Amino acid sequence: MKEKILTGIKPTGSLQLGNYIAVLKNLKALQDRGECYIFIADLHALTLPIEPEVLRQNSIDIAAFYLACGLDPDKSTLFLQSSVSAHAEANAIFQNYLYMGELSRMTQFKDKSAKMKESAIGLGLFAYPVLMAGDIVLYDADIVPVGDDQKQHVELTRDLVNRFNNRYGEVLKMPKPEINKVGKRIMSLSDPTVKMSKSDPKGDIFLKDDLKVIRKKIMSAVTDLGCEVKYDPENKPGISNLLVIYASMKDISIEEAEAHFVGKRYGEFKGEVADAVCDVIGKLQERYQHIIETKAYEEALKKGAIKANKVASETLKRIKKAVGLLTLE
Ligand code: AMP
């Protein structure tokens, strides 16, 4: 039996290099390794305010970038979360098996809600991991490749699976998060103490940025006072982040990247990081552009929705039956 692999990206903003390194870059290898379910987490994107047109455009972009990275719709299932209604139904059931205390301890909820008035925090933001647990178990996922920031949510899914199976028997498959050794948390170029997200135009490298802009952002990335190119996240967070980015673009280890830059100055180092990123992203942009022009993502998403609905509705039936909901054929 092939492993089942599930991963997704929220269409909340322009895709950035952290998304590329955590998910997109590995798609081809994942596809050769197991049965892949790759989705666009558009329902999750509604957990914070977003303009409808922006959400639509971002969703298309993610689909196009997935394809540009080598996702083959004949081998993998590519779909929009919102086109599989089982996600919303699973959410309605699982919200009864995850608790307020554990949800309020989620780092991502704490970070995202910290600057919001309590009266403006949507229930969806709070219950984000409930929806995510459904995403994962509906496809009987064994492996969930994510960045470091999503590990806690996958762990909570594991708690839910334990709780549910203890109560009802072996109904849900136990998933495991899988996190890259190199690049599990790409940091902002303007402030290497915070992670690169989709919201900081100076510190984020967006996959759609002009290559000249990418180069400029890297050349002006925050470094430190020393002059040695060394991996030391505690004392040299900026340099370490750039080393991780370089290693990731070149598919080499951090040690190999360090060895490559021995004796080189920061300026030269940054120039090579910029070359490496521009080389990868430049080629990706060409493929993305072609997919946007031919609208190849439309067929892929339609096809994926049919397969995803089939798989998810079977699992949902199993879940409904387990909890005592009547499933009349
Ligand atoms: P999101 O953009 O939050 O939907 O995340 C999509 C995927 O990218 C998830 O697996 C995240 O963990 C991953 N990710 C997002 N930002 C970063 C980052 N700065 N470094 C590494 N992984 C990231």
Side-chain angles (χ1 to χ4, degrees), residues 7-12 15-23 41 108 112 128 145-151 183-187 195-198:
T7 193
I9 301 180
K10 285 194 299 293
T12 41
L15 286 169
Q16 38 87 8
L17 198 64
N19 299 131
Y20 176 74
I21 292 173
V23 175
Q108 200 159 98
K112 294 213 159 130
Y128 185 108
V146 283
D148 201 30
D149 57 338
Q150 288 292 344
K151 186 170 175 227
K184 58 183 180 191
R185 184 171 289 241
I186 302 299
M187 309 308 275
K195 75 166 184 174
M196 192 178 282
S197 64
K198 300 192 190 97

Side-chain angles (χ1 to χ4, degrees), residues 92-197:
I93 296 174
F94 290 144
Q95 64 187 349
N96 304 299
Y97 300 85
L98 283 169
Y99 303 125
M100 303 276 284
E102 52 198 2
L103 291 172
S104 58
R105 281 194 294 277
M106 293 293 108
T107 314
Q108 200 159 98
F109 172 70
K110 287 199 266 188
D111 288 350
K112 294 213 159 130
S113 61
K115 291 195 193 104
M116 297 167 78
K117 276 199 206 136
E118 197 172 306
S119 57
I121 301 171
L123 192 55
L125 185 65
F126 183 65
Y128 185 108
V130 180
L131 184 61
M132 182 161 160
D135 301 338
I136 296 171
V137 301
L138 280 173
Y139 301 92
D140 288 330
D142 300 290
I143 305 290
V144 187
V146 283
D148 201 30
D149 57 338
Q150 288 292 344
K151 186 170 175 227
Q152 200 184 25
H153 290 162
V154 184
E155 295 295 350
L156 194 59
T157 301
R158 288 171 60 84
D159 292 343
L160 170 91
V161 169
N162 257 327
R163 196 169 290 158
F164 199 90
N165 287 352
N166 278 337
R167 171 82 176 80
Y168 301 108
E170 288 300 304
V171 180
L172 306 177
K173 185 81 160 281
M174 182 61 80
K176 224 172 47 198
E178 187 169 271
I179 296 168
N180 278 336
K181 277 202 193 77
V182 177
K184 58 183 180 191
R185 184 171 289 241
I186 302 299
M187 309 308 275
S188 158
L189 298 187
S190 58
D191 178 0
T193 62
V194 299
K195 75 166 184 174
M196 192 178 282
S197 64

Side-chain angles (χ1 to χ4, degrees), residues 11-45:
T12 41
S14 285
L15 286 169
Q16 38 87 8
L17 198 64
N19 299 131
Y20 176 74
I21 292 173
V23 175
L24 294 167
K25 175 176 178 282
N26 308 319
L27 278 181
K28 264 183 95 167
L30 291 173
Q31 185 168 263
D32 293 336
R33 174 176 151 196
E35 184 179 327
C36 285
Y37 294 87
I38 312 292
F39 73 108
I40 297 152
D42 51 356
L43 293 173
H44 274 114

Side-chain angles (χ1 to χ4, degrees), residues 161-306:
V161 169
N162 257 327
R163 196 169 290 158
F164 199 90
N165 287 352
N166 278 337
R167 171 82 176 80
Y168 301 108
E170 288 300 304
V171 180
L172 306 177
K173 185 81 160 281
M174 182 61 80
K176 224 172 47 198
E178 187 169 271
I179 296 168
N180 278 336
K181 277 202 193 77
V182 177
K184 58 183 180 191
R185 184 171 289 241
I186 302 299
M187 309 308 275
S188 158
L189 298 187
S190 58
D191 178 0
T193 62
V194 299
K195 75 166 184 174
M196 192 178 282
S197 64
K198 300 192 190 97
S199 54
D200 171 12
K202 260 179 38 202
D204 295 349
I205 295 179
F206 297 116
L207 302 188
K208 281 169 74 176
D209 272 346
D210 189 280
L211 297 185
K212 285 198 198 98
V213 173
I214 294 183
R215 185 170 295 279
K216 200 164 160 215
K217 285 183 186 174
I218 294 174
M219 294 312 286
S220 45
V222 169
T223 51
D224 58 68
L225 289 175
C227 59
E228 208 186 347
V229 179
K230 205 167 154 269
Y231 184 71
D232 178 358
E234 197 114 308
N235 302 306
K236 287 174 162 276
I239 293 293
S240 302
N241 190 38
L242 289 172
L243 263 174
V244 169
I245 291 175
Y246 181 84
S248 191
M249 294 299 106
K250 293 282 188 187
D251 270 326
I252 56 174
S253 67
I254 305 272
E255 292 75 20
E256 286 170 312
E258 256 182 335
H260 177 75
F261 290 110
V262 169
K264 295 193 183 167
R265 296 184 164 273
Y266 284 176
E268 197 180 343
F269 165 56
K270 283 177 163 182
E272 284 202 44
V273 177
D275 289 344
V277 174
C278 289
D279 183 38
V280 171
I281 303 301
K283 287 181 190 141
L284 187 62
Q285 288 179 350
E286 280 173 26
R287 294 194 294 271
Y288 159 85
Q289 205 48 48
H290 178 70
I291 290 159
I292 289 291
E293 279 157 21
T294 56
K295 295 198 172 177
Y297 53 85
E298 283 186 358
E299 269 315 299
L301 286 173
K302 281 188 205 159
K303 188 174 170 165
I306 294 172

